[in-house]
Amino acid sequence: MWRAACVLSVRLTRRGGIRLCSSNPTKPSSSSSSQSLKRPKAEKQRRRRERDEAILSGQHSSAEENTVRWNEKQKIVYTGSTPPGAKKDTSLPFPSAYSPDYVESSWYQWWEREGFFRPEQHESLPQAVDKTFSLCIPPPNVTGTLHLGHALTVAVEDALVRWRRMQGFRVLWVPGCDHAGIATQSVVERKLLRERGRSRKDFTREEFLQEIWKWKNEKGDEIYQQLRRLGASLDWSRACFTLDPSFSRAVTEAFVRLSDSGLIYRSEALVNWSCALESAISDIEVDSQELCGQTMLSVPGYENKVEFGTMVTFAYPLDGHDGEVCVSTTRPETMLGDVAVAVHPDDPRYQALHGKQLRHPFTERLLPVITDRTVDMQLGTGAVKVTPAHDHTDFLLSQRHSLPRLTVISGDGTMSPPCGHWLQGVKRFDARQQVVDALMEKKLFRGKKSHAMTLPVCSRSGDVIEPLLKKQWFVRCEEMAQKAVQVVEDGELEIIPHSYTKTWKNWLSNISDWCVSRQLWWGHQIPAYRVQLPDSTNTQQEELWVCGRSEDEARQRAAVKYGVKQEDVTLTQDPDVLDTWFSSGLFPFAMLGWPDKTPDLQHFYPNSILETGSDLVFFWVARMVMLGTELTGQLPFRQVLLHSMVRDKHGRKMSKSLGNVIDPLDVIHGVSLERLEEKINEGNLDPRERLVAMEAQRRDFPGGIPQCGTDALRFALCSYRMQGEAISLSVSQVLSCRHFCNKMWQTLRFTLGVLENNTTPVGTLEETSPVSSVDRWICSRLYSTVLQVEQAFESYELHTVTSALHSFWLHSLCDVYMECVKPLLAQQGGGSQGEDRVRAKHAAVSVLYHCVSSSLALLSPFMPFVTEELWQRLQPFRGGASAQSSLSLQTYPRSEQLAHWFFPEEERDFMLVQEVIREARSLRAQCGLTKEKPDMWAVCSPSQAQVLLHFESAVQTLSRISSLHIYCPGYTDDPSSVSSAPPPTGRLVSVVDHTCQLHLHVQSGVNIDKQMLQLSQRRDKLDRKLEEVLNRVQSPDYQTKVPAHVRLQTETKVSALQQELKTLEEQLRVLQETQRTKNCS
């Protein structure tokens, strides 16, 4: 059921214009709206051509291409003798490097066997709260394999599920699989034809269904195994298949209830028809193929390619008068079904023809000339052929003018008997040329020209869609749609992002009734029965139908409805099946046992949230809201969270038709370029598309795709802003996340080494108090990170969560804190001084432990495998009460739990320290220092001096200097630690800000030219910034329009910029003098 992108189906107008086509009866649209539709489509097609040309011409950054190059990493395999479902042995030696093969072994089987993903374990959690969190996974097709769109859905939903479970919620995440009527039937039909040379019609319905069930039982579990491979913490004991007996009963119940309420009816209307499948299909199963003009295409069932993208003009002669009316069409074969010609009543060219009749050249049928204001006088000849049985707009026009509807194309794609013996049984596209030839013979052909158009194609069969008039079952949607709009306006249902609220209202306010009939064998057979009464002999009489949960109930209903005895009623069940989207629309409550009042339904319905791709907002989400509200009296969920579509790095949607779909398992396990190319060749791509796909792969993955692992893929997917533009995924980003996994691994190696050498037990989080300034800073950074994570999780901003956690681990914990405490942890203390060091060391060990342990818990929802592996290895050193057996059940870190670690002044002050360290390292790099530790002077303000003294140890360690001298110009009350003399001249100088400069004492190797260049570049940058600010200040309305407090801030900023520029100029002057002195000597 999942799709990578939403594609509305289209159909051809009689002149070749494009109109939206639905399997529902549609409403007419104005010519202005149809023109507005064409422009975006043309623009979309232009952008696609430009992207393809860019790929083929190599107009992509080689730097970006190089980022995907990689070196093969050593694969380390878990060799422990762990039986399936048993807990992994983490007492084995810790591997030297991160390896996905090692890390991801055994954990999932243990989680599943222990029932960690079931809501029943909730009561055993010490952090349990009386709240539930429930949702269903968008059920993938049973025929499908996962693509990155699925992986994004799993990564997002599992992150939310694991977060809520660790918070103590009673969590239920139900897995499911959609029977995928058309897709599954097509797969099995092709399999039987390939292996046995037999088509579906060579079997009885029961025999064919047995073949499908056999295939499903053999292959249908693959999608579940792929979900397990992605680490999805689903409750597999509640797995739900849409053709399970219990689910089928829910589908039948829903149909009968809706029918009894008058919301389901049977009617004749135009539908999207696939001649290859001989079935109506839904909008989402129709792909739009853009044609720039005349194009030859392969069509199933035709040996030779068929011409599309041309406009044919021909004439209808006036009956009983001289003259003719010319009309144009891209589908000349449908002219056999014309029943009228329409013109605009104000068109002066046809004023004299109102009410006249035209004679059909092949059937001798008379066609009235009718007037209708929907006709566009500027388009083509201004006269429109009317074919009600093969065009949606013409069908509506026929209703207004009481015109007949003549079907001339049969369900199998051949011309029907009303066309005459010369065309009867001829394939529709073969008939196209025969009609043109016949028009030429009768001298009625007026020309043919190339014409840009959009061709509707069945995504399952590749066949060209034919709008056909069929008797089908429909769901009345208007009233249910109004309710769905109202609940959003009233705030009962929240759609995230909120930008979709307007689209939701617009679409549902213009909704048409929904055709739910499908002419298939695989699916839920419609529980409607044709009634034959004893005196019914005329086969042309009005159809009599009843619905029932069973044939017996239907018989009872028919007897009551028609006033006859039950034994006199003959029933024939409708052979059609229901649209797959009908059963999928029931998923949120049918999966919980509806219509029975099961405990699951009482506890977990309505669901907490529905998370899915934005392409399914109408095909699935809106229908769930309508059906759920109607059938249960409640909304199926309280929130709808929509994520963006995943595109490739070139901005193209991921589609099988483009050959750019990436299998997430290929990213997890790695794959060679040769295998990727084989997958493209295995598909059925157009030659040009194959060329573009092969070239894109060669550029994107010159060495194939490296093994990244599940955790890296999940973390990378959640790192993108999902509530915005489409996600252009680059595998290099996933590879970067694998490097992050290795960084976590090495952090644990260091931490475990520290803990093993520590003789004092680690204190609990509540008992641990930071001692040093850098201890206080890292503790406060952890608190601030947890607070940021809490807020971002609540607003579903997962990219903010991942960014905060990545930044804390990498830049705060590893780059700063661990580097600062390494010298302390390596020291051996004694005496009174030693006791202080011992106390500081013990505090540092406890702080390090809790920072690492808390960070692993914070990351667990995104990276379940590596965090479980590392957290388990920390547990032998845990202080206090024993933890849960798995990290997945551990309490998620809370800000109130860390409130005693919040030191805002430390975080604020350390920003200056980081700037000083950055500039000091830049100075070291300028003169190529590696091991040397020179002295450094900081010329700064008194307040800055206090900060630098407070963090002196961190400055010295991270700047790699031997000592830090601080000088405050013009400040007389210097503490003993502040120098009273300025730094010696001739030092290497760097400017931190307008009040702080660094002077580095280097014996040799100072690159004066390089330092002058850097200072000059910084001066030029500040000059431009100052000029921009002054231009704003000097604008005419500045004093009157800008608030006083903003003017004051601007004045302060100008003063600081001027002071910093003055300092830079002075430093440049000193360097110039130094250079002159050096040159003279």
Side-chain angles (χ1 to χ4, degrees), residues 70 72 666 670-683 693-694 697-706:
W70 48 279
E72 188 72 44
D666 286 343
V671 66
S672 66
L673 177 61
E674 292 73 23
R675 178 58 189 140
L676 289 172
E677 292 175 340
E678 286 175 9
K679 289 188 176 185
I680 291 180
N681 289 323
E682 289 168 2
M694 298 279 274
Q697 280 193 348
R698 188 189 68 79
R699 293 182 178 278
D700 296 347
F701 317 120
I705 297 177

Side-chain angles (χ1 to χ4, degrees), residues 480-496:
M480 291 191 292
Q482 288 174 355
K483 294 178 182 178
V485 171
Q486 195 63 45
V487 294
V488 172
E489 291 183 343
D490 293 345
E492 296 176 42
L493 175 65
E494 182 184 14
I495 301 177
I496 306 169

Side-chain angles (χ1 to χ4, degrees), residues 380-400:
T381 65
V384 178
K385 63 189 286 291
V386 181
T387 321
H390 297 282
D391 185 280
H392 285 260
T393 300
D394 293 354
F395 179 82
L396 296 174
L397 193 148
S398 74
Q399 290 179 319
R400 293 195 297 272

Side-chain angles (χ1 to χ4, degrees), residues 510-527:
N510 295 280
I511 196 171
S512 299
D513 289 351
W514 170 20
C515 172
V516 292
S517 299
R518 297 293 179 267
Q519 290 64 44
L520 304 171
W521 286 353
W522 175 248
H524 299 101
Q525 191 169 351
I526 295 175

Side-chain angles (χ1 to χ4, degrees), residues 132-149:
T132 61
F133 185 74
S134 60
L135 72 161
C136 64
I137 197 169
N141 289 349
V142 68
T143 60
T145 55
L146 297 183
H147 53 63
L148 283 178

Side-chain angles (χ1 to χ4, degrees), residues 936-940 945 948-949 964-968 977-981:
M936 186 173 74
W937 277 259
V939 180
C940 58
L948 295 178
L949 287 172
L964 175 65
H965 308 278
I966 297 178
Y967 171 66
C968 299
S977 54
V978 175
S979 174
S980 58

